[in-house]
Amino acid sequence: MLKLIKNLSEAYGPSGREEEVRSLIQEELKGKNLEVFTDALGNLVAVKEGRGKKIMVAAHMDEVGLMVTHVDEEGFLRFANIGGLQPASILGRCFLLPGGVKATAGVEKPEDLKDLSFKKMYLDIGARDKGEALGQVGIGSVAVFEAAFTPVGGRYSGKAMDDRIGCALLLAAMEEVRTDNEIYFVFTVQEEVGLRGARTSAYRLNPDIGLAVDVTRSGDTPEAPRMAVSLGKGPTVKVKDNSIIAHPRVKERMMAVAEGEGIPYQPEVLERGGTDAGAIHITREGIPSGVMSIPCRYIHTAAEMVDAGDVEYGRRFLTALLEDSWS
Ligand code: CO
Ligand code: ZN
């Protein structure tokens, strides 16, 4: 699974341009004997047929990025954010654009560091002038962090752990699950810009239950905002975030399954942010939904960090959730 997480994490896939991630996953789905299709927006769906509960489990393929909005005469690129990035997180970082183009994020003046904003920043692709820059990138090209996936102590660090870790967990659970439930494994597009792929795929699949697998914040770093989630204490069962109040029956069932399997879990209240379940649960007449999250530090940076034990428990937890009778 480590090699898979590494490949997924390092792949290029900002919102709207998930092709590379999708083909990696399609490669993994080969020979699994599941019905696999891609819908109109680009969501990838693998179906495990059955006569039990219809469960949609979603993980998003896209990652945050920077979209080129303007190129100046000297060849420097200005940009707009795709998803929730912080100016401080991109300064001095390396970026990757389509066609293997690399960039560094710079800031106009040293004074600007005090009151940093994207307006005062630019991407430098090493071009000598506008013409040379436009030979390599276009208006609308999107840059993503360039960062190698690497184990750090008992933890994993890399870009786009949000939510390639979820994609890897879906693939791992797919391998192990033994159940008569009908399961739709959905690898969604455009989560970071408003849960868009989850919305259309939930409408099409119309499941009995929706589950999202994603990362969440933690409150265990120095002076962190108070949050009762830590790395290394197990995956979380979402109670609430800005996109959903988890359905009480789904949430309680998830907790019961974890307890039955002896899997440590943490109840999660996330004060900012959302997941695909936010779109799924308000689809059609309403779909009872919940979320399993993997605690993550430094979300939406080039070095998102998750705990190896949480990932392993997450794999077991997700498998058990998909095998449950949900009655
Ligand atoms: Co995210
Ligand atoms: Zn996410």
Side-chain angles (χ1 to χ4, degrees), residues 65-66 77-91 106 108 115-122:
L66 303 171
L77 320 178
R78 301 293 175 151
F79 54 83
N81 58 304
I82 299 291
L85 276 155
Q86 293 301 319
S89 305
I90 71 164
L91 185 64
E108 290 173 358
D115 182 25
L116 207 53
S117 75
F118 291 136
K119 293 260 171 295
K120 298 168 184 167
M121 303 182 79
Y122 55 82

Side-chain angles (χ1 to χ4, degrees), residues 60 162-163 191-192 214-215:
H60 66 90
D162 175 12
D163 184 27
E191 189 269 356
E192 295 291 356
D214 210 329
V215 299

